[in-house]
């Protein structure tokens, strides 16, 4: 980022290449929309490019990046709610369920079951409150530690740990149908 701050486009291109997919995935899961996730990730990278001269390397770049992404996602969700477009399950390509025409092989059944479980987890994730969803996504999807998540969301580490615990408890209840899953 220091090189990008010195107007090195090649350095910024490398930085964007390193983080774009992770950022888009995080934003898509926060908003429930892959399209919005891609747009928000690009907006964040554009904002970083525009602020490249003001960047100070006193903190971790990744923390700054996900702080900006979190802010963009929250703004997007607020705007969607205001417009009345907030849906629990967005529709997109591949959402249609077609009955198979031939019997499924065991590996096809395994893939089908895995896809259904992933769909249930995505649905349950969207059912979490914003604070719980962002904590669990930053922890498990992005692999950040609790202290770094705390800096991103502006909460003490103990609060972040509590949010992750509650999110996992609610996800287990929603997907497994009970709260006391191991």
């Amino acid at each position: 980022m220091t090189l990008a701050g010195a107007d090195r486009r090649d350095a910024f291109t490398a930085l964007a290449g390193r983080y774009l997919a992770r950022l888009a995935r995080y934003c898509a899961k926060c908003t429930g929309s892959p399209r919005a996730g891609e747009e928000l990730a690009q907006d964040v990278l554009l904002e970083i490019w525009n602020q490249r001269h003001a960047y100070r390397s006193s903190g971790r770049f990744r923390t700054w990046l996900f702080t900006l992404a979190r802010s963009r996602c929250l703004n997007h969700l607020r705007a969607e709610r205001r417009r009345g477009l907030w849906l629990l399950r967005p529709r997109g390509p591949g959402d249609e369920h077609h009955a198979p025409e031939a019997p499924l092989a065991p590996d096809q059944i395994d893939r089908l079951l895995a896809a259904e479980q992933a769909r249930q987890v995505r649905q349950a994730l969207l059912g979490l409150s914003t604070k719980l969803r962002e904590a669990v996504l930053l922890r498990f999807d992005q692999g950040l530690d609790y202290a770094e998540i705390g800096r991103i969301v502006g909460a003490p580490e103990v609060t972040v740990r509590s949010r992750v615990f509650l999110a996992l408890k609610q996800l287990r209840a929603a997907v497994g149908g009970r709260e006391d899953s191991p």
Side-chain angles (χ1 to χ4, degrees):
M1 189 58 202
T2 303
L3 292 174
D7 292 329
R8 293 271 312 268
R9 289 183 186 269
D10 59 327
F12 185 76
T13 300
L15 193 64
R18 181 181 305 156
Y19 286 101
L20 180 61
R22 287 180 65 188
L23 195 58
R25 187 175 69 230
Y26 170 74
C27 292
K29 289 179 179 179
C30 277
T31 62
S33 168
R35 178 175 290 149
E38 290 174 12
E39 290 175 10
L40 291 169
Q42 290 175 8
D43 286 348
V44 169
L45 290 174
L46 180 61
E47 183 176 348
I48 287 172
W49 175 254
N50 290 335
Q51 292 184 22
R52 69 190 178 278
H53 298 295
Y55 177 75
R56 301 290 173 251
S57 61
S58 59
R60 291 185 66 173
F61 173 75
R62 187 171 65 177
T63 302
W64 184 51
L65 175 75
F66 282 102
T67 301
L68 291 174
R70 174 183 178 261
S71 177
R72 290 286 177 144
C73 289
L74 291 174
N75 289 342
H76 174 81
L77 291 172
R78 283 186 204 107
E80 289 294 307
R81 280 191 204 110
R82 277 193 304 271
R83 284 191 293 265
L85 299 175
W86 176 246
L87 302 174
L88 285 179
R89 184 165 189 269
R91 303 283 183 218
D95 277 356
E96 303 83 23
H97 296 284
H98 300 287
E101 298 187 12
L104 296 175
D107 64 325
Q108 290 174 312
I109 292 172
D110 290 341
R111 284 195 306 261
L112 183 63
L113 290 173
E116 176 59 19
Q117 185 178 30
R119 186 197 64 76
Q120 288 176 355
V121 170
R122 281 192 308 273
Q123 185 70 29
L125 194 59
L126 290 173
L128 294 175
S129 71
T130 303
K131 289 181 179 187
L132 296 182
R133 183 173 52 245
E134 69 189 11
V136 79
L137 285 174
L138 288 169
R139 178 69 181 121
F140 296 108
D141 189 52
Q142 297 302 318
L144 304 181
D145 62 39
Y146 292 109
E148 192 168 9
I149 296 168
R151 288 190 294 275
I152 291 169
V153 301
E157 184 177 334
V158 68
T159 301
V160 172
R161 287 180 182 274
S162 177
R163 288 177 185 172
V164 170
F165 174 80
L166 290 172
L168 291 175
K169 184 177 179 181
Q170 289 180 22
L171 287 172
R172 283 186 195 110
V175 173
R178 59 177 199 242
E179 288 190 20
D180 58 347
S181 297

